[in-house]
Amino acid sequence: FNHWNNLGELHLARRDFGAARNSFLQAENHLGPTTPPYASQAVAAGLGLCALETGDLGEARRRREQVSVPTGRLYYDPSTIVAFEVRFLERLREYDAALDLMRLICAGLKSRFELAWLKTVTLLVKKQLRWSRTLGAIEVLDEALFVARDLHLSERQHELEALYVELRSREGLS
């Protein structure tokens, strides 16, 4: 399961939705009775994202029924589940609900799963910029940049720095 799920996430990041779908289908084939519930939900969310991005809204709706958005203290990386729900809410133009969800998830991940927190914070700031709802984004980016630098995550750091520059330019700041 883990190998195929991770490969699916990698293909999603590269926006190769066909390859991502194939990987998540392989992951789905490796789910079993002892698999924790979050694993099947992560796979369903990955397949749902692929469906959304390729225009298969029926499949996306079906996959959404298989996923429950996590809340509270998290013991796993929910980033694929969150990305799917956020993308679905975006299609429904429920931007505030999507932002609230990402902020809630970030709070549950902070200081517990720094890598998952960074993925979710990056998604949050990208959506804030896309939807022109940037209140608090600079503070979040400052903290995320600190963590990325501290963990020596150069690619994530460059991505966050680019978001920082874009945010500053939109706000007319230097």
Side-chain angles (χ1 to χ4, degrees):
F1 155 79
N2 281 329
H3 168 76
W4 292 109
N5 188 65
N6 290 341
L7 195 55
E9 287 186 21
L10 179 63
H11 290 306
L12 280 177
R14 293 178 175 162
R15 303 195 54 78
D16 185 347
F17 302 115
R21 181 179 182 279
N22 290 336
S23 294
F24 285 120
L25 286 171
Q26 285 292 329
E28 189 173 52
N29 288 335
H30 287 86
L31 297 173
T34 61
T35 307
Y38 71 83
S40 60
Q41 291 187 29
V43 170
L47 289 165
L49 266 171
C50 293
L52 272 177
E53 297 298 344
T54 58
D56 188 348
L57 300 182
E59 174 68 3
R61 279 188 210 94
R62 189 175 80 71
R63 293 295 180 171
R64 190 177 188 216
E65 291 173 5
Q66 299 172 352
V67 175
S68 61
V69 176
T71 57
R73 191 168 167 87
L74 300 169
Y75 59 94
Y76 61 93
D77 178 354
S79 57
T80 303
I81 296 169
V82 173
F84 175 47
E85 182 63 15
V86 165
R87 186 70 179 96
F88 205 95
L89 290 169
E90 182 177 32
R91 297 264 323 185
L92 298 173
R93 292 180 164 65
E94 294 182 21
Y95 307 120
D96 291 332
L99 292 171
D100 289 344
L101 170 64
M102 287 182 282
R103 288 181 183 118
L104 176 69
I105 296 299
C106 283
L109 291 171
K110 193 173 179 184
S111 302
R112 187 164 168 79
F113 288 114
E114 288 181 317
L115 295 177
W117 177 79
L118 279 171
K119 284 195 276 188
T120 307
V121 162
T122 303
L123 178 64
L124 169 64
V125 173
K126 285 179 177 180
K127 295 302 183 182
Q128 285 180 293
L129 282 163
R130 183 174 182 157
W131 302 332
S132 298
R133 291 177 160 98
T134 58
L135 183 65
I138 287 287
E139 293 79 10
V140 170
L141 267 177
D142 281 337
E143 188 172 2
L145 273 165
F146 175 81
V147 171
R149 286 183 188 122
D150 190 49
L151 295 175
H152 305 285
L153 301 172
S154 59
E155 287 189 41
R156 181 67 68 185
Q157 181 181 337
H158 294 307
E159 183 179 21
L160 292 167
E161 287 169 346
L163 290 171
Y164 195 88
V165 167
E166 182 179 351
L167 183 60
R168 289 292 205 181
S169 69
R170 283 197 192 185
E171 293 181 349
L173 303 171
S174 54

